[in-house]
Structures are given as C-alpha cells and as structure tokens.
Amino acid sequence: MTTLIQNGTVVTATGRHEADVLIDSITIAAVLQPGSDAAASAAGGADRVIDATGKYVVPGGIDCHTHMELPFGGTFASDTFEIGTRAAAWGGTTTIIDFAVQKTGENVRESLDAWFAKAEGECAIDYAFHMILGGVDDAALKEMDSLVGEGITSFKLFMAYPGVFYSDDAQIFRAMQVAANNGAMICMHAENGIAIDVLGEQAAARGQTDPIFHGITRHPRFEGEATNRAIQLALVAGAPVYIVHLSASEALERVAEARNQGRNVFAETCPQYLYLNLEDHLGAPGFAGAGYVCSPPLRTKHEHHHSDLWQGLRTNDLAIVSTDHCPFCMKEQKELGLDDFRAIPNGIGGVEHRMDLIYQGVVMGEITLERWVETCSTTPARMFGLYPQKGVIAPGADADIVLYDPKGTTDISVDTHHMSMDYSAYEGIRIDGKVDTVLSKGKVLIENDAYHGTKGDGAYLRRGLSSYLI
Ligand code: DUC
Ligand code: ZN
Ligand code: ZN
C-alpha cells in the first residue's frame, strides 16, 4: 500500500518547504519536489493520494510525559491506555512515553510487567515507557541496567511526595551514578516535598483547605531549590538530568545557568504552565479550582513565570513541551479533596490538546512553526532514544504524519474532547488552527473529523539511549 501526501508544506525542526511525501506501507519512502518527474510518477502509481493543499505536513506529535491509569491519592488517572491514546491521536500526537510505576517495597520488574499488561493491545498509537522508581534500593538500582537493555532508557525520581514516590538525596545520587554508567536519562520531579508538606500541614491547621492553597504551599522557590539540587547531584554523579514539568522562573534560571556552562541539563514544560494560572484557575470560585490541582502547581500571573517559560522555549532552556497528562474527573475523584486540598488527586488531562495549544504559541508569535515541531516532536524523539524512527519527515522514518490546517479553528471543550474527563482545564480556549488528518505508521487514524483506527494499532517501542547529549 502506497500513499502520496501532495501539495502540502512540510515543516521540520529546521525549515519548511513545499513537498510531496511518499509513504510505502508503514514508512516514509521519499520526500519529493512537487512537479518533479519523481513526484508525477509517485502520484501515478500511488494507491491513495491525500491532498494537503494549504496544510502543514508535520511529524506526528510525541508526548513524552503521560500517566495513563496512574494510581494516585486513592484513585486512578481516568484515562485508560485505550481512551487516552485515542484522544492523543485526535490531537495529532502519534507516540506517547508513559510512566510505569514502582512504589516503595515493590519489585521493579513486576511493576513494569503490570504496565506492559495494562497497555498491550489497547493503544491507538505507538507507546514507550519510562520507569518511575519510587523505592530506590539495591535491587532497584540493579534492575536499572537490565531495563536499559530492554528499551526503558529513562527513570523518573521524585523529590516530592514523601512517603509515596519520594527519594532522598542519597537514593537520587545512587540512581544517578548508575545512570552515569549505563547511559540512562534521569527525569526529575524537582520540588522540595519535605518543605512543601510543612507548609501544607500549617495551612490545613489554619483551616485553609481550598484548592488554591495547593498552589500557595508549593512555593516556586521550593521548585528552584530542588531543581538546583538535582542539577548539582547530577553534575557530581556525571549523569544527564531532565527536569520534568518545569513551572517556575526560579527553576528555569537554574536550568539556564547549567546549560550556559554546557552541561547535559534539560527541561520540559507543559501547556498548563503556559496558559493557566494560580488566581484565575486554581483560585476559581467554590471547588472548581480542584480541576487545576497539579504538581508543580499553576503559578501566579503577577510574576513573570508564564512569559519566562515562553522565552525558555525560544532559547531551548526548555527543550520540550509534554503534557504530564494525568486526568481525573471532578465527580468522585477531585471531590476526594472537598475538605482538604491535600487529598485532591494531582493532575490535569491534556494529551489531546498539546499540539493545538503550542501551535497557538506560533499564532501568538511566541515561537516559530519550526520550533513547534521541534519542541513537540523532534526533540522528544532525540531526547528519549526514538530518533530517527520518530520525530522527523524523512525517508526511513515511520509514517507518523499530521496534516495541520492553519485556516481551521478548534474550540476546546468538555463537550467535544475525547478524554475520560467530566471537565476541561482548557474550556473555552479557541485555537486558530486544526488537526486535519493524522496518520500513524501510514494508517489514517483521523480524517474528516472521524476516527478510523482500531484498538491495538499502536505498538510498544523499545527505545535507545538519548541522542541529545552533548
Ligand atoms: N504531578 C501531577 O500533577 N500528577 C501526577 C504526578 C505529578 O508529578
Ligand atoms: Zn512529576
Ligand atoms: Zn508526571
């Protein structure tokens, strides 16, 4: 089966040009000059021709930070792998890297196997795993080597959530030493959870239990401090470090400082930290703010976090936009924290909207079209060992391709999204663009506002080591 995508503007991380893209089965076979003999011959012989006139033709999005079915706070993230990956496809994301979870006392191998079992045969798009180490002990450290050999080449550690996922500095440093040796990437949730819990207890004791206190007690300096500590530990261990879901200027400054010294220090941010804020969203009337409880929290609009993050995306101090997709419904899930913000499950769902929301950054003049592709697809592939199979439109790459219509519009709403959530954190936001057609490994998943995929279209991806290191 061959497909030709004709007359579109191919956008890569390094430029844009008019080109026709020939797909043979699941792979990109050629990128052809429109009107050339080769393009004419491809059009004549193709089984199917897709007209991309007026559309951008971009590599499928890669969301390298999702939490399908994450157990958290006595409940589970509400998207299954089936529903969450289908929603991702609707939004132009064709690969996710989800976080398998090992908790304290659990065996790493068994925890990972449980994650494979959840995802197998369920996914609409390709998927890979990072491994959360919530209990770094000798056995877990030993397992890190074998996991790297199996394509799990990155590990998330938490400086927050004492008693749940938290690692102390010794545990972190030991894991970093192993990563320095086997080439893995350490992904860090960098917030000082010990200090946060002190402020949380004090706020609750004063009766300050509304959702906004989740944000007030998770001070941006606690993120800055933890980010710096993670970087210093990584530098001594000789390991690369990737700061996940960076939200605060204080943390970005620490990352920029290390990067200016040429260190293997990287960071991502997420749409919620670019578009939403403490006062209007976390501080929404009544209990509505619970829908915006995530960690790190949304930051105040009265400082310059939001503009600093856009700036960081321009300078590459922020290399990637992921979502930290971790959806919960208001009903019966967020409601667990009706009387105490500390019991609200942490997370916002957004896997469906990342490509649109960051494209809107192009419309707003915050980043270029090329940078949109780079931060949402190409760099995630390079950072996490999927390049050049993913993240690029070039011969030999998987035919994961999105046709994006800059003349279309997208109105984000709970009424139209495909995630398993009874509200949308981005309700009412209008995007001046639209995901038009989505192909995953040459198969059309989204076309004419309809889903054409089948459960299990997506396959597990064994990842290599990062090809992004200096
Ligand atoms: N942050 C969240 O908001 N949810 C899940 C885990 C995390 O680190
Ligand atoms: Zn985290
Ligand atoms: Zn996360």
Side-chain angles (χ1 to χ4, degrees):
M1 170 87 173
T2 54
T3 303
L4 187 71
I5 301 175
Q6 237 181 0
N7 303 323
T9 301
V10 171
V11 184
T12 68
T14 51
R16 60 189 95 169
H17 57 291
E18 310 308 305
D20 295 348
V21 181
L22 180 65
I23 299 167
D24 187 0
S25 180
I26 66 169
T27 309
I28 296 172
V31 180
L32 304 165
Q33 196 183 334
S36 64
D37 290 349
S41 136
D47 298 309
R48 178 179 49 180
V49 175
I50 297 175
D51 181 19
T53 304
K55 315 258 163 55
Y56 296 128
V57 179
V58 302
I62 301 174
D63 191 341
C64 60
H65 190 153
T66 69
H67 296 287
M68 305 301 170
E69 306 181 38
L70 177 77
F72 194 102
T75 185
F76 288 84
S78 55
D79 271 347
T80 59
F81 278 90
E82 179 188 359
I83 292 170
T85 56
R86 198 166 56 214
W90 272 102
T93 285
T94 51
T95 300
I96 61 163
I97 311 180
D98 200 82
F99 286 84
V101 181
Q102 177 241 3
K103 287 194 188 145
T104 316
E106 288 177 357
N107 175 282
V108 174
R109 163 69 36 194
E110 286 168 13
S111 307
L112 176 60
D113 286 347
W115 237 261
F116 274 115
K118 282 175 200 255
E120 186 157 12
E122 298 291 315
C123 293
I125 55 172
D126 286 354
Y127 61 98
F129 294 129
H130 312 275
M131 188 83 217
I132 286 176
L133 297 178
V136 177
D137 55 17
D138 287 344
L141 290 170
K142 219 164 151 201
E143 279 293 349
M144 286 174 72
D145 286 339
S146 39
L147 262 57
V148 167
E150 292 170 44
I152 317 267
T153 53
S154 42
F155 298 87
K156 183 179 180 188
L157 303 174
F158 286 79
M159 302 170 99
Y161 302 125
V164 188
F165 295 127
Y166 175 82
S167 290
D168 64 25
D169 289 355
Q171 290 171 305
I172 290 168
F173 189 61
R174 284 184 204 284
M176 286 175 164
Q177 286 179 318
V178 175
N181 192 47
N182 67 20
M185 181 71 82
I186 295 295
C187 302
M188 189 62 77
H189 180 128
E191 286 186 291
N192 186 327
I194 303 287
I196 285 168
D197 278 8
V198 172
L199 285 189
E201 274 167 35
Q202 291 171 348
R206 285 193 295 267
Q208 296 172 325
T209 56
D210 289 346
I212 195 168
F213 291 102
H214 171 82
I216 290 169
T217 56
R218 301 183 90 92
H219 199 285
R221 286 187 187 276
F222 291 159
E223 188 181 344
E225 182 278 325
T227 300
N228 185 50
R229 187 157 33 103
I231 292 169
Q232 301 310 320
L233 291 170
L235 293 184
V236 176
V241 66
Y242 177 88
I243 307 296
V244 295
H245 48 46
L246 189 148
S247 73
S249 305
E250 287 84 342
L252 183 58
E253 280 164 19
R254 302 285 80 81
V255 170
E257 200 173 83
R259 290 185 55 73
N260 288 343
Q261 293 165 6
R263 307 298 193 173
N264 276 315
V265 171
F266 312 102
E268 64 176 22
T269 191
C270 310
Q272 54 269 36
Y273 303 120
L274 295 164
Y275 282 95
L276 309 177
N277 65 64
L278 180 99
E279 292 81 8
D280 299 333
H281 300 98
L282 203 46
F287 191 61
Y292 301 94
V293 165
C294 61
S295 293
L298 305 182
R299 297 303 181 187
T300 175
K301 63 181 179 185
H302 299 304
E303 292 166 4
H304 38 84
H305 302 286
H306 301 80
S307 55
D308 283 354
L309 295 186
W310 282 114
Q311 166 80 359
L313 284 173
R314 287 190 289 275
T315 60
N316 205 36
D317 288 328
L318 295 170
I320 288 176
V321 183
S322 70
T323 56
D324 196 10
H325 176 74
C326 191
F328 297 99
C329 290
M330 293 296 287
K331 189 108 205 96
E332 290 175 8
Q333 293 200 295
K334 293 286 187 180
E335 281 178 357
L336 290 167
L338 261 176
D339 300 325
D340 185 345
F341 67 86
R342 293 173 300 168
I344 299 170
N346 287 198
I348 288 182
V351 74
E352 185 168 350
H353 304 310
R354 182 184 61 121
M355 295 299 282
D356 280 326
L357 286 165
I358 305 308
Y359 177 76
Q360 192 63 19
V362 177
V363 175
M364 297 187 307
E366 295 284 3
I367 56 169
T368 63
L369 204 50
E370 289 79 6
R371 190 72 185 136
W372 171 54
V373 170
E374 189 169 30
T375 56
C376 291
S377 179
T378 310
T379 302
R382 293 180 63 201
M383 188 74 74
F384 291 111
L386 290 170
Y387 190 87
Q389 182 186 357
K390 304 288 188 189
V392 63
I393 294 187
D398 283 357
D400 294 356
I401 296 175
V402 174
L403 273 56
Y404 199 83
D405 183 0
K407 295 206 172 66
T409 51
T410 306
D411 290 306
I412 300 181
S413 172
V414 63
D415 299 328
T416 47
H417 74 200
H418 301 84
M419 302 175 289
S420 186
M421 290 173 74
D422 59 4
Y423 76 103
S424 171
Y426 303 101
E427 187 72 39
I429 293 185
R430 168 164 284 198
I431 307 295
D432 300 305
K434 186 178 191 297
V435 173
D436 178 87
T437 304
V438 179
L439 293 92
S440 168
K441 288 180 295 183
K443 176 172 176 173
V444 173
L445 296 187
I446 305 292
E447 192 174 42
N448 299 327
D449 294 317
Y451 178 69
H452 302 280
T454 314
K455 177 167 131 162
D457 281 337
Y460 172 67
L461 297 165
R462 284 171 80 104
R463 293 183 292 119
L465 298 178
S466 176
S467 58
Y468 204 73
L469 305 186
I470 296 160

